[in-house]
Amino acid sequence: MAGDLNEVPVGELESEQAVAELKRLATTLAKYDKHYHQRDKPLVDDAEYDALKRRNLEIEARFPDQVRLDSPSNRVGYTPSEKFTKYTHAVPMLSLDNAFSGEDVVDFVTKIRRFLGLPKEQDIPITAEPKIDGLSANIRYEHGKLVNGVTRGDGQVGENITQNLLTVADIPHELTGTGWPDIMEVRGEVYMAHADFAALNARIADSGRQFANPRNAAAGSLRQLDARITAERPLKFFAYAWGEMSDISSETQMEMVGKFEQWGFKINPLMKLCANVDALLEVYGAIDDQRSSLGYDIDGVVYKVNDLALQTRLGFASRFPRWAMAHKFAAEQATTTLLDIEIQLGRTGALTPVAKLKPVNVGGVMVSSATLHNADYIRGIGSSGEAIREGRDLRVGDKVTIQRAGDVIPQIVDVDVSARGPDSVAFEFPTKCPACDSHVVREVNEKTGKVDVVSRCAGGLICPAQAVEKIKHFVSRNALDIEGFGDKQAEAFYLDGLVKNPADIFTLEERDSEKGNLKPLMARDGWGVTSAKKLFAAINERRDADLNRFIFGLGIRHVGDGTAKLLARNYDSFEKLSAAAIEAADETSTAWLDLVNIDGIGETVAHSLVDFFGESHNLEVLEKMLAQVSPTPMEEVASGSPVSGKTVVFTGSLELFTRDEAKAMAERLGAKVAGSVSKKTDLLVAGPGAGSKLKKAQALEIEITDEQGWLDLIKQ
Ligand code: IVH
């Protein structure tokens, strides 16, 4: 029954079946790779592709003798992005935080008011404009002439697509009017109108290709290496923001965008200035009503604080500006069949169930998988014990309703129990890890006695799935970001025993050239001399990785990229951090007190660091790693500022600014903010009513100033 082989669980395959199945997977994956890399349209979505890749790996792990020469695990495809040169943005291109309800919008404005210390009654003028569903780009002008155009990329580094952007009629090659700054970066959205999208699909129909939606069509067109093809694709552009500017002569968002129009850009005609939340929600409703007649896709409304001075004061939280928000339109729904429930393993051993769905189009996007969060969620129980889907459980074979809102992972929101057949059985969550057969446990919180919702594999050190996930995390974008070393390479290298943990990455080249190594990288399938050299060069480039990225890459529980930055800023070197974390195991030590005293680090993170550095196996890997890598301390955000590198404590009731604003201000200027006074404190900023902290600072002879003194010091 070779036709049904793909249905047979890996654990039940006979050797002969495995050979046939490995062959089928090699052929299928080669076909998918070709379409993905050489044409514009992938044949399957990432989830389906990954599932096949995983199945192939699992079979290879069970039948190591049958691994094919052309195994997909060894093949490294080139991602299309390698076709364009990289470009580092002068000012990062951040994305926006999302609101999904009117309440979220009220919260957004309340938080702004609180951050700025404004009274409840005070209205803050905010603009509202459509959120265009396209791709953002940064276009740089010097002395009025377009010099380059770049994609958003990961927000820090984008791709130079100047030639393609030059073909977009809405983007002026030279600025018109007068008064533009010498250096000016305009940001906005490249999109394709509905009519142009339909015409394009009709034109290419003969080739058998079709774009799923206008956004994909716009992306595919911008990604063309041959700008002549882009020129044939009618793309449009709305300007709505900016990057580096040698001079900003406007005081408000409205005024600035108005100038863009005078200088030759298209701006969205629906942009409105609103006095308060009610007005924002009214514009939101009005834009939603017009959505279907606009002639282009939008997926929400963007709100921005109008006053640019307030925007500066509000600044940025780790990933989003505090002064802007995207209010998404209601989610789209569709019904389909739940084909299977797969278990994915994360780097911390968490077992995450994923729904495999019969592919269905939800508002222009094909969906074939949805998150199921955890075992309780499948049973119809929410994280606080409440009923979800009115308590109905999910079973393989069920008819389900799925929902997709913006870029959020699709959810299963309902199930039709009446459509269940007689064979329907409740899903049994695995009690053994699918990768290493260790026990699956749900931890009990020491303090609350509550059982954790997450099921975890107990085989931390021996579990291959966790090891692979740790490597993937280490090389990922916000961590070491090693170019050409992605998920696929991590899996292949792990399977081959080449990279068993992150430290092995840095000895790859050395081991590769060792005598007796029968299969150097360049001789492997999918690799050549050039690609192997390129990978080694990319690895070597990270031997002085940024300290914060290195800390984040270690995958310590509860240490996200924001926390990693805080740690990097507060401990000048990795050695100091590790020494402190080891010492902090004793909670009466100053190391512990210093750690929890960092504003933004709580006991959960502190415990997690202590646990990580208390594990001898981790220290062994770290020792090997540090023989190869020297993490570079974080560059002071503003090394010229009078407070950079200093530890500051704010106390008393602050009147000129709020505590949050003070903290953001200090961090922007490269200072560390602590919660209490110690010998390490460099400066105490004391507002009216300061008490014990002030006394302690006086006793320790620490420099003390008041709010005005602080403002004078930093000259704001
Ligand atoms: S403002 C710092 N305005 O939405 C603020 N973004 O989720 C910069 N987008 O990456 C963005 N329409 O690609 C802004 N009117 C609009 C927008 C808009 C679409 C996109 C943009 C951004 C993403 C954030």
Side-chain angles (χ1 to χ4, degrees):
M1 297 249 293
D4 293 326
L5 264 187
N6 56 343
E7 307 270 308
V8 180
V10 173
E12 291 168 21
L13 284 173
E14 303 287 340
S15 177
E16 260 171 47
Q17 291 177 311
V19 173
E21 188 59 352
L22 287 173
K23 179 172 177 201
R24 179 186 76 86
L25 288 165
T27 322
T28 312
L29 285 163
K31 184 169 85 191
Y32 291 169
D33 276 350
K34 198 161 167 197
H35 274 263
Y36 182 81
H37 296 302
Q38 294 170 8
R39 309 181 188 175
D40 248 344
K41 195 176 161 225
L43 289 176
V44 288
D45 67 17
D46 287 358
E48 192 172 337
Y49 179 91
D50 290 345
L52 292 184
K53 259 315 211 353
R54 221 175 310 123
R55 181 171 169 82
N56 186 68
L57 267 178
E58 285 167 12
I59 300 176
E60 289 181 339
R62 258 201 79 205
F63 299 94
D65 298 343
Q66 309 295 356
V67 175
R68 299 170 60 88
L69 281 176
D70 65 348
S71 160
S73 312
N74 291 336
R75 191 166 42 239
V76 181
Y78 287 107
T79 52
S81 59
E82 293 200 26
K83 298 191 291 194
F84 295 101
T85 53
K86 303 271 184 227
Y87 185 92
T88 303
H89 295 294
V91 177
M93 285 182 85
L94 299 188
S95 68
L96 298 171
D97 203 358
N98 290 327
F100 294 99
S101 65
E103 247 168 62
D104 290 349
V105 181
V106 173
D107 273 3
F108 165 62
V109 179
T110 309
K111 276 195 193 145
I112 290 177
R113 214 180 267 124
R114 204 180 304 139
F115 187 93
L116 297 169
L118 300 176
K120 255 207 197 106
E121 326 69 71
Q122 188 165 337
D123 282 332
I124 304 164
I126 294 178
T127 62
E129 67 198 279
K131 182 169 189 304
I132 318 296
D133 197 5
L135 299 113
S136 52
N138 182 81
I139 327 235
R140 187 178 174 95
Y141 293 83
E142 289 179 8
H143 308 287
K145 293 204 167 53
L146 190 154
V147 290
N148 65 39
V150 183
T151 63
R152 175 171 179 274
D154 64 1
Q156 308 287 335
V157 181
E159 289 162 353
N160 188 332
I161 51 163
T162 310
Q163 294 310 317
N164 301 14
L165 288 172
L166 281 170
T167 70
V168 179
D170 293 345
I171 298 177
H173 296 189
E174 282 188 28
L175 299 177
T176 56
T178 52
W180 26 261
D182 285 346
I183 290 179
M184 153 160 144
E185 292 184 348
V186 171
R187 292 177 176 178
E189 204 82 353
V190 181
Y191 67 100
M192 193 179 280
H194 289 156
D196 294 327
F197 165 69
L200 172 63
N201 262 352
R203 190 153 56 83
I204 60 173
D206 284 349
S207 69
R209 291 178 48 210
Q210 290 287 277
F211 286 109
N213 55 44
R215 188 180 186 283
N216 284 6
S221 307
L222 271 188
R223 273 212 333 247
Q224 291 298 329
L225 264 189
D226 184 349
R228 280 172 304 186
I229 299 178
T230 316
E232 291 167 2
R233 310 269 177 91
L235 294 171
K236 297 192 145 133
F237 182 81
F238 277 127
Y240 54 64
W242 55 95
E244 186 179 354
M245 296 288 240
S246 54
D247 174 39
I248 297 184
S249 51
S250 306
E251 287 181 6
T252 64
Q253 183 78 27
M254 271 295 190
E255 197 188 328
M256 190 76 234
V257 173
K259 284 189 180 162
F260 287 161
E261 191 176 27
Q262 292 168 18
W263 295 334
F265 293 92
K266 294 274 186 322
I267 62 170
N268 195 286
L270 301 181
M271 182 171 178
K272 291 258 171 355
L273 182 60
C274 301
N276 50 38
V277 172
D278 289 343
L280 286 177
L281 295 178
E282 207 172 297
V283 175
Y284 174 82
I287 293 180
D288 197 1
D289 288 345
Q290 298 174 66
R291 193 174 172 188
S292 56
S293 58
L294 288 177
Y296 50 86
D297 277 352
I298 61 173
D299 58 347
V301 173
V302 179
Y303 305 135
K304 297 170 189 166
V305 169
N306 192 40
D307 184 331
L308 300 186
L310 291 187
Q311 284 190 7
T312 309
R313 279 180 63 191
L314 285 159
F316 299 86
S318 67
R319 276 182 301 145
F320 310 118
R322 291 193 187 87
W323 46 267
M325 174 72 108
H327 189 177
K328 294 292 187 81
F329 289 134
E332 317 231 28
Q333 296 193 337
T335 56
T336 187
T337 310
L338 175 54
L339 298 177
D340 196 8
I341 296 178
E342 278 186 11
I343 304 291
Q344 288 182 357
L345 262 137
R347 69 191 151 83
T348 58
L351 272 68
T352 308
V354 178
K356 295 283 124 186
L357 303 162
K358 185 157 171 238
V360 59
N361 190 321
V362 196
V365 173
M366 288 304 281
V367 172
S368 62
S369 52
T371 173
L372 292 174
H373 305 284
N374 53 57
D376 286 350
Y377 184 89
I378 299 176
R379 288 165 54 209
I381 306 169
S383 53
S384 319
E386 79 283 11
I388 45 173
R389 298 180 303 269
E390 293 174 21
R392 291 188 278 269
D393 71 332
L394 295 174
R395 302 174 178 197
V396 172
D398 274 346
K399 286 265 162 284
V400 291
T401 304
I402 57 170
Q403 173 170 303
R404 187 185 69 88
D407 328 324
V408 181
I409 304 165
Q411 307 265 349
I412 296 187
V413 288
D414 207 0
V415 49
D416 182 359
V417 181
S418 68
R420 274 180 188 162
D423 311 336
S424 166
V425 285
F427 178 73
E428 276 192 45
F429 203 86
T431 53
K432 294 279 183 66
C433 171
C436 72
D437 216 32
S438 299
H439 286 291
V440 169
V441 291
R442 289 177 65 169
E443 290 166 7
V444 178
N445 186 305
E446 292 163 29
K447 282 193 195 127
T448 60
K450 265 177 71 179
V451 179
D452 194 3
V453 290
V454 181
S455 306
R456 278 178 211 283
C457 158
L461 293 181
I462 59 151
C463 181
Q466 286 184 52
V468 173
E469 293 306 317
K470 284 196 175 91
I471 298 168
K472 286 184 192 170
H473 176 76
F474 186 74
V475 296
S476 65
R477 260 192 182 177
N478 290 341
L480 263 70
D481 192 21
I482 299 180
E483 212 177 321
F485 199 135
D487 288 2
K488 291 174 195 160
Q489 291 76 7
E491 280 167 17
F493 290 161
Y494 184 83
L495 197 79
D496 284 355
L498 275 179
V499 176
K500 288 284 186 198
N501 61 52
D504 290 345
I505 295 171
F506 294 98
T507 55
L508 200 57
E509 182 173 11
E510 187 186 311
R511 285 181 285 130
D512 199 58
S513 53
E514 267 168 19
K515 276 203 190 116
N517 181 357
L518 292 178
K519 208 174 178 193
L521 195 55
M522 60 175 214
R524 278 163 197 266
D525 207 8
W527 291 90
V529 183
T530 323
S531 55
K533 271 194 186 151
K534 224 169 139 185
L535 179 71
F536 295 143
I539 292 172
N540 289 333
E541 218 175 273
R542 293 293 182 262
R543 286 185 193 271
D544 57 356
D546 294 341
L547 178 56
N548 56 311
R549 285 173 170 271
F550 183 78
I551 296 172
F552 174 64
L554 297 177
I556 303 169
R557 257 175 99 184
H558 306 297
V559 179
D561 54 355
T563 305
K565 272 191 197 139
L566 260 184
L567 290 168
R569 197 176 294 138
N570 280 276
Y571 294 91
D572 305 330
S573 67
F574 189 76
E575 287 69 22
K576 282 193 187 149
L577 171 68
S578 65
I582 290 168
E583 217 185 302
D586 170 5
E587 291 188 18
T588 60
S589 65
T590 45
W592 170 265
L593 295 176
D594 285 345
L595 184 58
V596 291
N597 196 19
I598 298 173
D599 206 335
I601 303 264
E603 293 209 354
T604 312
V605 173
H607 278 300
S608 184
L609 284 164
V610 167
D611 288 348
F612 182 87
F613 287 96
E615 180 70 56
S616 60
H617 155 262
N618 288 338
L619 297 183
E620 277 165 33
V621 175
L622 278 175
E623 198 184 317
K624 282 194 202 141
M625 197 122 76
L626 292 168
Q628 303 284 335
V629 186
S630 317
T632 313
M634 206 151 149
E635 229 175 88
E636 294 301 353
V637 187
S639 47
S641 104
V643 293
S644 80
K646 300 232 166 106
T647 300
V648 184
V649 175
F650 293 92
T651 189
S653 57
L654 302 175
E655 289 174 342
L656 299 179
F657 35 75
T658 64
R659 192 166 298 267
D660 283 342
E661 188 180 358
K663 185 178 164 208
M665 235 189 284
E667 287 182 349
R668 199 158 54 222
L669 294 165
K672 308 164 195 173
V673 181
S676 65
V677 173
S678 73
K679 273 184 289 186
K680 295 204 173 144
T681 310
D682 295 301
L683 176 67
L684 180 80
V685 181
S692 60
K693 287 183 196 170
L694 178 58
K695 284 208 186 93
K696 189 162 179 195
Q698 284 162 341
L700 292 170
E701 294 184 7
I702 283 161
E703 189 184 339
I704 299 166
T705 183
D706 61 6
E707 288 176 275
Q708 192 54 53
W710 162 258
L711 288 180
D712 292 343
L713 177 67
I714 62 170
K715 295 203 186 59
Q716 286 226 330

